[in-house]
Amino acid sequence: MRRTTPPSPTNHSPSPAPAPASAPDALSYAALAERYEQLRHTCSAAEAARAHYRRLYEQAPVAYCTLSSDGSILELNQQAGTLLDQDPRQLTGIAFATLVEPIQRWDFLYLFGQMLATSLPQSGVVTLRTAIGKSLTVQLESTLVASPAGEQQCLLALLDITDARQVALVLAASEQKFRRLFEQSTDAVALMQNEQFVDCNAAVLELLGATDKSQILGHYPWDLAPEEQRPGLRSATYFQESVAAALTSGSKRCEGVLCRLSGEYMWVEAVLTPIKTDGELLLHVLWRDISDQKREQQRRLQCEEQLQLVLTATSTGLWWWDVVTNQFHCNAQARACFGWPATEAETLPLELLLTAIHPDDCAPLQAALERATQHGNLPAHSLRTLWPDGTVHPAVLSGKLVTNEFYQPQRVQGVVHTPCAQVLEQ
């Protein structure tokens, strides 16, 4: 028998169904749609940011203009047009350098080249000429930006500093004038800071007998003075109090004793005035040598003291008659000649004085005073005084006329004394 091979068993398990052909495509569409929404959102945000930037650019309170790499004006905002007195559209496309004063154009072009050469902000100052011929001093602040096409552009901020520059020029001229006055003044002028001398002119060197500023600068004022201004008052204390008073009140006038470098003492009058320069507080010190005036004052004081001794020893009083006010003035010794207490007022009307004169002597005295106003002298004039106790005493007046600078009579002044102690009977 022929052997037959049994047939192979057939696998009847179901095969897995293939995925629908549209599933991968559906996933791709969903991812693309999501990415499209993201891109659309990004574009919308970019457009909103660009619109916001445009509004800021156009409405900014600062003048802005955008220049191309060749220096042409691409656009200007409203503030830039206002600053330049022209419609921004009329300036678009022209070279910015044409707005610059001709004498400064090469300087601007060099500055603009530096602005394009670095990504760091640059600044400079130029003078622009507006459409109506007005001159403006403008500070330029640059920032490099890229156009949507990738081209290099320069964003300029135009800051009007015309007024500030004018103020700066005035201050500079004022400081220069002050420096000339300071250096060339015949008055001794020094500058102090923190109580130390930081500068002085040639007149200070001459006043103090110095040959170089280094002998003065860096020192305190009391280094140039005796230990004490007067017994019990140290120079350091006196000068420190004067400086403090000047800083508080705005000015201080004082007198003091300084030492020349030779050791010789001298009297000076000082005027201390606080000033500000370059933001620093300084003290302006003006010195004048008043040694001669002080010596004259001392001489007069000594003469007055000697005169007072003589008047006291001779029982002589001082008096004067004010021609303008008709008032009679007398000191204590003169009052004693009229029998009045020395403690009472020293001024009284001439009419009241005449009540202390014997009636027979009043008219002659008035006539003598009138003659003195005409001729300049009152020769020794004898009269009798009536004292409050009823007694009569002799007195002798003499004097001379004093006029003002226009030679107009001002007063008759002189002396009065009692020639003897004898009391006369009425």
Side-chain angles (χ1 to χ4, degrees):
M1 292 181 62
R2 194 176 65 177
R3 189 177 178 180
T4 60
T5 304
S8 302
T10 302
N11 188 1
H12 296 286
S13 59
S15 301
S22 60
D25 294 336
L27 290 176
S28 298
Y29 292 150
L32 287 174
E34 182 179 1
R35 284 197 294 270
Y36 173 77
E37 286 297 324
Q38 293 176 349
L39 181 60
R40 189 174 67 83
H41 178 74
T42 301
C43 290
S44 298
E47 286 297 325
R50 181 177 179 82
H52 179 67
Y53 165 78
R54 172 59 57 185
R55 288 195 301 272
L56 290 178
Y57 182 87
E58 290 293 339
Q59 302 174 9
V62 177
Y64 286 107
C65 72
T66 304
L67 306 185
S68 65
S69 58
D70 63 359
S72 300
I73 299 176
L74 297 175
E75 57 181 344
L76 302 94
N77 67 353
Q78 297 175 2
Q79 189 66 26
T82 302
L83 179 67
L84 298 172
D85 298 317
Q86 198 163 353
D87 188 336
R89 291 172 296 183
Q90 296 177 344
L91 296 173
T92 303
I94 70 171
F96 185 86
T98 60
L99 302 177
V100 180
E101 288 282 9
I103 196 172
Q104 293 186 5
R105 286 176 185 172
W106 283 111
D107 294 333
F108 166 73
L109 292 175
Y110 176 77
L111 174 63
F112 184 65
Q114 290 183 313
M115 292 176 175
L116 296 177
T118 176
S119 59
L120 297 176
Q122 298 291 312
S123 64
V125 176
V126 297
T127 302
L128 302 182
R129 181 69 64 176
T130 70
I132 60 175
K134 184 171 64 174
S135 180
L136 295 176
T137 302
V138 176
Q139 181 172 332
L140 305 179
E141 300 287 345
S142 74
T143 302
L144 286 184
V145 296
S147 70
E151 297 175 350
Q152 189 181 51
Q153 297 176 347
C154 181
L155 177 63
L156 285 182
L158 313 179
L159 307 177
D160 185 1
I161 60 171
T162 304
D163 293 340
R165 175 58 63 92
Q166 290 298 324
V167 171
L169 291 176
V170 170
L171 288 177
S174 178
E175 290 181 1
Q176 186 178 12
K177 181 179 180 181
F178 170 77
R179 173 56 59 179
R180 288 198 303 268
L181 291 174
F182 177 82
E183 294 292 348
Q184 300 173 10
S185 174
T186 56
D187 291 323
V189 181
L191 296 178
M192 291 174 56
Q193 187 176 42
N194 299 325
E195 298 183 342
Q196 288 181 302
F197 294 111
V198 294
D199 202 356
C200 65
N201 64 0
V204 169
L205 303 183
E206 183 179 356
L207 178 71
L208 297 175
T211 57
D212 190 84
K213 287 186 178 183
S214 61
Q215 297 172 285
I216 309 298
L217 305 189
H219 288 277
Y220 296 95
W222 51 87
D223 294 338
L224 309 174
E227 184 69 23
E228 292 184 329
Q229 288 293 299
R230 60 176 180 267
L233 178 59
R234 298 181 66 249
S235 291
T237 302
Y238 178 69
F239 288 126
Q240 287 172 336
E241 291 176 350
S242 299
V243 168
L247 296 175
T248 302
S249 62
S251 182
K252 174 66 176 177
R253 182 183 297 271
C254 55
E255 296 179 355
V257 180
L258 293 182
C259 290
R260 291 188 173 90
L261 297 189
S262 62
E264 177 187 2
Y265 286 5
M266 63 177 172
W267 274 96
V268 296
E269 178 188 57
V271 179
L272 313 179
T273 307
I275 60 174
K276 272 192 174 182
T277 177
D278 297 331
E280 295 183 332
L281 181 62
L282 302 175
L283 196 65
H284 180 276
V285 183
L286 173 65
W287 278 327
R288 287 193 178 95
D289 186 351
I290 58 171
S291 300
D292 291 341
Q293 295 93 308
K294 281 293 184 179
R295 281 190 287 268
E296 180 63 20
Q297 181 180 347
Q298 183 67 21
R299 187 189 67 79
R300 290 182 179 179
L301 181 60
Q302 292 174 352
C303 290
E304 290 176 1
E305 291 175 348
Q306 293 171 357
L307 175 61
Q308 190 61 40
L309 290 174
V310 173
L311 295 177
T312 302
T314 59
S315 299
T316 301
L318 298 176
W319 64 270
W320 66 94
W321 170 49
D322 193 320
V323 176
V324 179
T325 64
N326 205 33
Q327 296 288 308
F328 193 84
H329 305 258
C330 52
N331 65 0
Q333 289 91 335
R335 296 186 64 81
C337 293
F338 294 100
W340 297 328
T343 56
E344 293 185 4
E346 296 185 354
T347 302
L348 67 159
L350 182 61
E351 292 79 5
L352 185 58
L353 170 71
L354 296 178
T355 62
I357 305 298
H358 193 283
D360 294 341
D361 296 338
C362 288
L365 174 61
Q366 289 180 295
L369 290 173
E370 290 296 334
R371 286 194 300 272
T373 62
Q374 300 296 325
H375 303 290
N377 288 314
L378 174 64
H381 181 84
S382 299
L383 52 79
R384 291 163 291 177
T385 62
L386 300 179
W387 285 23
D389 60 3
T391 57
V392 178
H393 297 260
V396 178
L397 278 75
S398 61
K400 66 179 298 182
L401 178 67
V402 177
T403 64
N404 62 14
E405 64 272 24
F406 305 109
Y407 305 104
Q408 297 171 327
Q410 294 296 296
R411 64 182 183 273
V412 178
Q413 65 182 22
V415 296
V416 58
H417 67 280
T418 302
C420 64
Q422 180 181 3
V423 178
L424 302 179
E425 296 294 340
Q426 295 185 3

